[in-house]
Structures are given as C-alpha cells and as structure tokens.
Amino acid sequence: MRKNSIKNTRINQEVQKELGVLISQELKDPRVNPMTSVVACEVAPDLKTAKVYISVLGDAQSQKETMAGLKSAAPFLRGELARRINLRNTPELRFIGDQSIEYGVNMSKLIDDVTANLREQPEDEETGQAQEQEDMGAQLEEF
C-alpha cells in the first residue's frame, strides 16, 4: 500500500475522526484540556504506528499537561480505537503538538492590525507610503 493511496487517506481520516470523538467525549483525564482538537493523523502504511497531531487552545502549561495526559491515555485510546474501527492492526499512537492554528490566529491578528493602521493614518503621497512600509516591517519583526 502506497503512503498516499486512497485506502491510506481514508484510514487517516477515520482514525482522526474517531480520536477526536474519543478525546472530547470519552477521556476523563483532568489534565486534558477540553479545548483539544485532533488536527491531523498519519497512519503508517503497515498500520503499526500513527502520528496524531494535536492542537490545544491555552497556555504552554496547559499544552504540556494535555500532552502528558494523552500520552498516559494512549493505551486506553488504542483499545477504544480497536473496538470502533475494524483494522488488521490497531496503530500505536504517538501524539505530536501542532502549533499551526495558534500561528494562523497570530498572523491573522497581525494582518488586521496592519490594515487598521493603514485606515487610520492620513495618506500623504510620499510620506504615507514610506511610513506604511516602516510600520509593516516593524510589526512583522515583532512577530
């Protein structure tokens, strides 16, 4: 089975969907943040391992505790996954923190700040353009 085959893609999607439901509804570990989502899942072609990309909305401490809680709950999640999905082998779960959603929110905020500043500033022909370039450069360096 090729890594990007249709079968592998369907397995990835099904594992991602089931893990999302299990983590949000079945897992009772208090360390796991309720705002935890499964961003992506990559099941190996031999169905032995799965990389599960997790996004946690919260501070660094909450993310760290959630990852520890998920790591300790991996055997439970694997067993429940085996009951819900009929696969030859149930993959061993490895949880990886994903910062892409947080990164996207920060970039969106920066873009909104730049556009708001552009609307507020009076536009001079020569000085307005130079000032805009300096403001955008300063905000991007800040990020």
Side-chain angles (χ1 to χ4, degrees):
M1 180 169 59
R2 294 186 326 266
K3 185 173 183 177
N4 293 334
S5 69
I6 293 170
K7 181 180 177 183
N8 195 275
T9 303
R10 287 177 58 197
I11 289 172
N12 289 343
Q13 291 172 350
E14 190 66 23
V15 169
Q16 177 182 351
K17 182 180 85 168
E18 290 298 328
L19 281 176
V21 170
L22 285 170
I23 290 172
S24 65
Q25 295 176 0
E26 301 291 325
L27 201 59
K28 304 293 187 217
D29 193 338
R31 295 177 289 180
V32 177
N33 190 330
M35 296 300 290
T36 301
S37 60
V38 179
V39 177
C41 185
E42 292 179 7
V43 179
D46 63 354
L47 303 177
K48 297 288 185 187
T49 61
K51 293 180 187 176
V52 182
Y53 295 94
I54 299 292
S55 177
V56 180
L57 187 62
D59 59 347
Q61 182 65 25
S62 175
Q63 291 175 359
K64 191 181 226 183
E65 288 176 0
T66 298
M67 295 306 283
L70 288 174
K71 187 175 180 182
S72 69
F76 166 76
L77 293 172
R78 185 178 182 191
E80 287 297 312
L81 198 62
R83 286 187 333 127
R84 293 177 182 226
I85 301 176
N86 186 17
L87 293 174
R88 184 179 312 148
N89 296 320
T90 303
E92 180 182 333
L93 304 174
R94 291 188 311 169
F95 295 100
I96 300 170
D98 186 38
Q99 304 297 329
S100 62
I101 294 176
E102 185 177 336
Y103 178 77
V105 168
N106 287 338
M107 287 304 288
S108 179
K109 182 178 179 284
L110 286 174
I111 291 170
D112 290 343
D113 290 346
V114 168
T115 56
N117 287 341
L118 291 178
R119 288 188 208 134
E120 292 174 1
Q121 293 179 353
E123 288 236 7
D124 294 338
E125 290 298 318
E126 296 173 8
T127 59
Q129 292 176 351
Q131 184 64 29
E132 289 173 13
Q133 291 176 351
E134 289 176 15
D135 290 343
M136 282 191 283
Q139 286 183 351
L140 288 176
E141 286 177 9
E142 190 176 288
F143 182 68

